Amino acid sequence: MEPVTALQSLLVWAHLMGVNAVPARLPQVEAVAFAPAAADAKPILTVPLKDVIAEQDRAVAWQEVGRGSIGFGVGLDPEAGLWVKFRQDRVRSAHALAALEGGVVERFPVESYKFVLENGNVRAFPVQEPQTPQAIVSVPAMLRQAYNLAAHVLFTPVDYAVLYEPETQGSAIPASVSLIREDQAGNFWVTYGKASETAAAIKWFVAINGVMYGMKLEAPNLVFYSKPVPPVALESEQGLSAAGPVFLLPESRLPR
């Protein structure tokens, strides 16, 4: 019989707790022994931030533009604002959708490019003639790719993709931690917030079957916690003891 790995042990333990990691999407999820941040809060899963970032990098789409190749991706700020990221060699930039509507020019190692948001697509082309080849990349398609390839955590029945923007010098996107879920109609809903707030205290984001689930940045990891719904809350009008999920933090719907 092959030895049971740490990840396999975690998946069995998480199943008994009613919480599952998605092994095909969530790399190197391991059990940890953090001291509880609250008397009844228990750490149940830890996700290394380096793995979250690595999965986001896999979602970058590369396109030939002018004399070079440019990588396109998306990110979220602390207010659930959608940004488009661009990269060439070691140079990276990012712009909010509103800024791209008027068009922006970026100097990259190969040449200068202009990026314009048009009908939900980003069009990229060289500033200098002959301005070909050009690339047209769909923002909803980039968002779908980011969701599909992100690290995922499953709190049955809610499946969340984890996105993270670190506090990096020179980064245009403010540091954030976001959880994206997809509803039955195919809409994306994001639970959002500042990275600093997520580091300061556990953010309880969903209650399922009388159990609350939260997250906290404990560098270099994002740690997920659970605790029973307080008796006072169970008796309130929120219905936190219901079988279906109750979302505890504000959510924003992302563009399709």
Side-chain angles (χ1 to χ4, degrees), residues 119-246:
N119 300 317
N121 300 309
V122 175
R123 183 165 66 95
F125 54 92
V127 171
Q128 301 297 323
E129 297 292 344
Q131 297 186 316
T132 57
Q134 299 188 8
I136 297 177
V137 184
S138 164
V139 174
M142 286 191 284
L143 180 58
R144 166 60 65 180
Q145 183 81 337
Y147 174 84
N148 287 345
L149 295 181
H152 279 238
V153 288
L154 176 63
F155 302 93
T156 306
V158 187
D159 179 22
Y160 284 106
V162 182
L163 268 64
Y164 171 62
E165 294 296 330
E167 188 75 51
T168 304
Q169 185 175 4
S171 176
I173 306 178
S176 65
V177 179
S178 306
L179 299 178
I180 302 177
R181 66 178 180 88
E182 184 177 12
D183 66 19
Q184 293 182 345
N187 298 306
F188 286 130
W189 295 87
V190 57
T191 298
Y192 53 91
K194 296 179 181 179
S196 58
E197 294 174 349
T198 310
I202 298 175
K203 295 182 66 174
W204 301 101
F205 54 85
V206 70
I208 305 171
N209 294 328
V211 179
M212 296 170 60
Y213 299 99
M215 62 180 173
K216 188 172 186 289
L217 271 178
E218 299 182 7
N221 304 307
L222 179 63
V223 182
F224 290 90
Y225 286 84
S226 73
K227 73 173 183 178
V229 173
V232 174
L234 287 173
E235 297 170 1
S236 72
E237 296 179 358
Q238 296 183 53
L240 297 185
S241 61
V246 177

Side-chain angles (χ1 to χ4, degrees), residues 6-7 10-11 13-14 19-22 26-34 42-52 151-153 155 162 214-226:
L7 178 57
L10 171 65
L11 294 176
W13 175 79
V19 181
N20 297 295
V22 180
L26 180 59
Q28 299 300 317
V29 178
E30 300 175 354
V32 288
F34 293 106
K42 297 179 180 179
I44 53 174
L45 294 173
T46 181
V47 183
L49 293 172
K50 64 180 180 62
D51 291 340
V52 174
H152 279 238
V153 288
F155 302 93
V162 182
M215 62 180 173
K216 188 172 186 289
L217 271 178
E218 299 182 7
N221 304 307
L222 179 63
V223 182
F224 290 90
Y225 286 84
S226 73

Side-chain angles (χ1 to χ4, degrees), residues 63-66 70 72 86 104 108 112-118 121-127 131-137:
Q63 300 285 339
E64 294 298 320
V65 185
I70 296 177
F72 296 77
F86 310 99
V104 297
F108 280 97
S112 294
Y113 301 92
K114 187 168 185 178
F115 304 96
V116 184
L117 181 67
E118 300 172 336
N121 300 309
V122 175
R123 183 165 66 95
F125 54 92
V127 171
Q131 297 186 316
T132 57
Q134 299 188 8
I136 297 177
V137 184

Side-chain angles (χ1 to χ4, degrees), residues 62 69-71 86-92 108-110:
W62 290 90
S69 183
I70 296 177
F86 310 99
R87 65 171 67 177
Q88 186 179 78
D89 296 337
R90 294 180 178 273
V91 177
R92 303 188 181 197
F108 280 97
V110 173

